[in-house]
Amino acid sequence: MAQPEPVDEILEWLARRRVEDVLVPGYVDRTLHEGRPFFNPWNTALYLVTDQGCVRIADKEASGVLHVSLADSVDDARGDVEEFIDREAGEEFMAASLESRFLADGRDVHRVSGARYVHGPHSRPEKGTADCLEVVFDGHGCLFVSPEWDGLLVGAHGSYEHWTGRLRAESMGGRTEVRWAPPGGGER
């Protein structure tokens, strides 16, 4: 088993790539709603797809801590999803794009210009875990992710402030905020 990489190193890897999409794995469900299929997200992971691989952000094993790691593709989530779905009922693995929500500004690719994350007593950024993560693209696009009791909470601008604002009333509960910028500049 590979050693987990620190969050900062993964962000640095991501900043050297072109981000092309944000994907959420899930499955097409054809068993409910009288034959009208719908997409059911597997709300435990999402993937930042780049020109050279992916960054996987997941609440691994519902631990309440984000696990940030490198992945070859969203297909590494296929096994988790296919273990659950009923192929005989017509359910099948699929990934949904959230690109229009978090990256839509007319460009085909985006660069990471900054990030913020919070870590606390149960997360270890040096081992690829954090309590929440916000990634900023080209100084304007924004993706926020935190693990919640029912899966990942995914948001845009203002979500990080809302999440940390709850904790600031409690002095962040022993948590620490980290602001990250790519080497050589970027957003602070």
Side-chain angles (χ1 to χ4, degrees):
M1 179 176 206
Q3 287 286 80
E5 294 186 52
V7 172
D8 288 351
E9 287 182 18
I10 293 170
L11 290 170
E12 195 170 311
W13 179 91
L14 187 60
R16 292 191 309 265
R17 309 292 181 294
R18 295 183 312 235
V19 178
E20 299 172 343
D21 208 344
V22 178
L23 294 178
V24 175
Y27 62 97
V28 174
D29 188 333
R30 292 182 176 87
T31 61
L32 300 175
H33 303 290
E34 298 174 12
R36 291 185 315 236
F38 68 95
F39 177 76
N40 192 357
W42 197 256
N43 196 24
T44 60
L46 66 79
Y47 292 76
L48 297 174
V49 179
T50 76
D51 55 337
Q52 297 176 19
C54 300
V55 170
R56 181 177 191 260
I57 304 170
D59 182 6
K60 193 173 180 181
E61 298 168 357
S63 64
V65 175
L66 288 180
H67 294 255
V68 183
S69 60
L70 299 177
D72 292 329
S73 74
V74 72
D75 280 342
D76 71 342
R78 183 182 297 271
D80 294 337
V81 174
E82 288 186 345
E83 226 175 82
F84 174 79
I85 63 176
D86 183 354
R87 286 191 152 299
E88 289 180 20
E91 296 175 345
E92 65 183 282
F93 175 81
M94 176 183 269
S97 173
L98 302 178
E99 184 264 342
S100 64
R101 171 122 160 79
F102 300 107
L103 301 175
D105 68 350
R107 295 182 227 194
D108 292 332
V109 295
H110 302 270
R111 300 268 181 194
V112 172
S113 56
R116 298 185 285 186
Y117 60 89
V118 172
H119 67 89
H122 303 291
S123 61
R124 301 284 178 267
E126 69 278 5
K127 293 186 177 185
T129 64
D131 290 11
C132 72
L133 173 66
E134 176 191 67
V135 181
V136 178
F137 304 97
D138 302 312
H140 58 82
C142 180
L143 170 70
F144 171 80
V145 185
S146 76
E148 301 297 328
W149 69 272
D150 59 349
L152 295 179
L153 170 70
V154 180
H157 290 286
S159 297
Y160 181 89
E161 286 78 10
H162 178 75
W163 193 92
T164 57
R166 264 189 342 206
L167 293 173
R168 291 203 196 290
E170 305 166 7
S171 300
M172 290 278 282
R175 291 176 174 88
T176 303
E177 177 182 60
V178 176
R179 292 176 177 261
W180 180 89
E187 189 172 283
R188 283 263 172 207

